[in-house]
Amino acid sequence: GSSYIFYVGRENYPKSLGGCLEYALDKAQVIRQGPNGVIVSAGPTLFKAITAAETLDATVINNPCVNNPDVDLIKPSLESSNGKLLTIEDHQVICGLGSQVIHSLMQAGTQFESKSLGVQGGFGQSAYKADQLYAKHGLDEAAIIDAFKSL
């Protein structure tokens, strides 16, 4: 079935997590564990989540297939933390990763507080560097930390 194409942006974002994790299509991966909540992301914003999670002491989960949340992995991580969930995506939040993850977890009977960071409508823009757009749309490390603390 499915085919996936991954594009790498202009910046020198890591192309892998250093081979430290086994990768299976449609399966999420716990990148970092921490007791203060869970951050779920995919793509370039994952690396921003990892950096922010060090300050927050939060779990970071890579859910690479946006339309297939790995509830079997995310739910226990969320239940073993304090029930905070932050999703981060570098595209529209409407019908995106956050919508998929939150809906799936709610359907599985999980209780939690959540917030989703992503593009909140509007048209595409360009910038010299992607990090400028991440900052403009509240997707940089500082915005991640602020959003997580607001839960």
Side-chain angles (χ1 to χ4, degrees):
S2 297
S3 297
Y4 294 87
I5 299 173
F6 297 93
Y7 293 97
V8 178
R10 294 178 279 197
E11 278 68 38
N12 292 322
Y13 291 111
K15 292 178 181 65
S16 74
L17 296 166
C20 62
L21 300 169
E22 290 186 27
Y23 182 80
L25 194 60
D26 293 341
K27 296 293 179 187
Q29 304 152 313
V30 175
I31 306 299
R32 180 190 192 287
Q33 292 189 324
N36 294 332
V38 176
I39 301 172
V40 177
S41 187
T45 55
L46 176 66
F47 301 101
K48 297 189 177 304
I50 293 168
T51 302
E54 292 171 7
T55 300
L56 299 165
D57 199 11
T59 295
V60 175
I61 296 177
N62 175 28
N63 195 99
C65 296
V66 172
N67 63 349
N68 189 22
D70 189 349
V71 173
D72 292 337
L73 183 113
I74 299 169
K75 183 178 179 180
S77 295
L78 190 56
E79 289 172 341
S80 68
S81 70
N82 63 8
K84 289 183 182 179
L85 173 67
L86 180 66
T87 65
I88 306 159
E89 49 202 308
D90 63 354
H91 49 79
Q92 300 290 333
V93 296
I94 297 171
C95 299
L97 174 68
S99 299
Q100 298 287 335
V101 168
I102 291 167
H103 178 77
S104 296
L105 288 167
M106 294 297 289
Q107 292 294 312
T110 311
Q111 299 294 312
F112 57 94
E113 294 180 68
S114 65
K115 185 172 268 193
S116 293
L117 297 181
V119 179
Q120 303 290 330
F123 294 99
Q125 298 165 327
S126 60
Y128 184 69
K129 293 190 173 210
D131 281 336
Q132 294 170 315
L133 292 175
Y134 288 142
K136 177 183 183 346
H137 290 284
L139 301 173
D140 58 359
E141 290 90 345
I144 293 168
I145 291 169
D146 289 345
F148 192 86
K149 287 181 176 179
S150 76
L151 287 170

